[in-house]
Every structure is written in C-alpha cells, then in structure tokens.
Amino acid sequence: MHGVFRSELSSMNSEQFNKPSIVVLASGNGSNFQVLAEKSLSGELIADVKALIVDRACGAIERAKKLGVEVIILSKPWYEDFEKVMANLKPDLIVLAGFMRIIPEHIVAKYFPKIVNIHPSLLPAFPGKDAIKQAYDYGVKVTGITIHFVDAGIDTGPIIFQKAIEIEENWDLETLESKIHKLEHENYWRVINNLLHKPYKIEGRKVTWGV
Ligand code: GRF
C-alpha cells in the first residue's frame, strides 16, 4: 500500500468543530484506553474519544464510565457489529488497545491505514499473546513497545513507532510489565496525536513523517 495519508477531519459537530475523533477497542484492563481518554480531556491529545468499544465484559468498561466515555459492547459476530458501529461513528482513527481479536482481512482492506495497534514487544520479536512474558522468559536484554498499522497478520503491520528498554538483572516479570506499560502510556497518545495532525507516508513497510 503506497500513498500519502492524513486522516480526514470528518467529525464536525458544533461543539468540537474540526477536532478529529477516535474510538478505542479493548478487551481487558483498559489502562491504555484510560490514558487516551484523559489526554483527550486535558486537551493534550487533540481528538475526541467517541467511544470505548469492547467485545466482552472487562475492566476497561468501568474506566470509561468514570470518564464519561460512551461504551459500546459488540454483539456476535463482533466484526459485523464493528462495521455497523464504524459506519455510524465514522472515526478518523480506530485505536486498538488490548483488543484480543484478529481483524479479518476484509476489514483491514476496507480501513487500512486507519486501524492502529500497540504491542508490548519490539516486533517482529514476540508477536501474539503474553509478549512481555515471552520476552522475559526468553532472556532478552532489550525489549520494548511497538505501535503499528494493522494488517491482516498477527502484529505484522507497518511499524510507526518503537521504543526500547533495557532489562536490568534484578527485575522480575512484574517489574518489566510495569515498565512496559509506563512506556505505552507515555507514548501511545503522542503517536496517535501525530497520526491525526501530521502528514505521513507508507511505502511498503516503511512509515515516514512528512510529505
Ligand atoms: C498492552 O500491553 C498492549 O500493548 C497490549 O495489550 C495490553 C493492554 O493493556 N496490546 P491495557 O488493557 O491497556 O491495560
């Protein structure tokens, strides 16, 4: 997929004229969702978080309620409901944050490059589930986070951003998990902000900023 992209500023209700909108999809704890919603409320992330979308009962729902963000629970089959919800909300960017589903090819084809994901390892190392534990158990000395566009594979899409962290010898798995989540919380909202407000190019697997 080639081309210059900048998300369309399609969300133009009277209160938030010209502010782009995102939706966040989660299946679990929801800490990344919470940071995105808080940064939106503080105005640091210049985007309207239109909804938290979940495919199951999970901790993220309670966080959304506390923050006053609408919660949408996808009914089965989730991907059919997903398309209806997207047609209705028309977000500028679809943000996956711990959404435990593989996105089917026809959805990727329709929305690319509007779906982004965060993964808690330096891809292509340790894709899939329990990436932090995979990296820890493997004994790597450096791991990190990856933010990428979603394609039809598992954690295989073009890489937008990576940040590494050195694993110190006295760290247990819980320490590494908390360091990784901190990195995620510091960086995901910034990258999303950039995607919404700066031009970028995708040439094959290479993502670059600017025109
Ligand atoms: C994060 O580690 C993210 O990288 C992965 O799922 C986890 C979600 O955590 N895709 P949370 O639900 O945002 O707390």
Side-chain angles (χ1 to χ4, degrees):
M1 178 79 62
H2 288 249
V4 178
F5 301 97
R6 193 211 297 258
S7 293
E8 291 148 29
L9 303 180
S10 62
S11 57
M12 292 204 285
N13 65 45
S14 53
E15 279 169 30
Q16 305 202 297
F17 187 74
N18 263 0
K19 205 194 243 191
S21 67
I22 64 171
V23 292
V24 182
L25 279 85
S27 304
N29 178 28
S31 69
N32 280 282
F33 156 75
Q34 180 168 332
V35 174
L36 294 170
E38 285 172 349
K39 293 292 180 186
S40 161
L41 287 172
S42 72
E44 291 163 279
L45 168 59
I46 305 164
D48 183 14
V49 180
K50 275 195 168 171
L52 168 75
I53 300 170
V54 299
D55 64 329
R56 65 193 76 181
C58 60
I61 295 173
E62 201 46 43
R63 295 180 192 260
K65 285 185 180 162
K66 283 193 181 139
L67 288 157
V69 176
E70 183 189 357
V71 178
I72 297 171
I73 302 174
L74 297 173
S75 49
K76 288 179 187 165
W78 73 267
Y79 46 86
E80 282 180 12
D81 215 13
F82 172 90
E83 295 220 58
K84 286 182 205 150
V85 170
M86 294 310 148
N88 185 28
L89 296 180
K90 298 189 179 54
D92 293 290
L93 203 62
I94 300 163
V95 177
L96 308 188
F99 187 60
M100 302 296 285
R101 299 277 183 176
I102 295 164
I103 312 298
E105 245 176 276
H106 72 277
I107 291 188
V108 170
K110 183 164 169 188
Y111 294 94
F112 188 93
K114 276 189 152 194
I115 310 179
V116 295
N117 182 42
I118 186 162
H119 184 77
S121 75
L122 292 176
L123 291 170
F126 311 118
K129 278 188 181 172
D130 298 325
I132 304 174
K133 186 172 187 306
Q134 286 188 56
Y136 186 83
D137 289 348
Y138 200 89
V140 293
K141 304 296 186 194
V142 176
T143 185
I145 62 166
T146 303
I147 297 167
H148 63 93
F149 291 109
V150 171
D151 69 5
I154 298 175
D155 303 320
T156 52
I159 291 172
I160 306 161
F161 176 91
Q162 290 187 302
K163 190 110 183 168
I165 187 170
E166 277 187 40
I167 302 177
E168 294 181 16
E169 284 182 3
N170 60 349
W171 289 3
D172 58 14
L173 177 59
E174 287 68 38
T175 308
L176 179 60
E177 281 169 347
S178 76
K179 302 274 183 192
I180 290 282
H181 293 314
K182 187 162 177 279
L183 268 192
E184 294 184 321
H185 300 162
E186 285 167 355
N187 289 286
Y188 206 14
W189 72 271
R190 289 179 197 278
V191 173
I192 289 164
N193 205 42
N194 285 341
L195 288 171
L196 292 168
H197 298 285
K198 291 185 179 172
Y200 56 89
K201 259 187 298 192
I202 306 171
E203 290 166 308
R205 292 201 49 82
K206 303 260 191 309
V207 179
T208 51
W209 296 100
V211 281

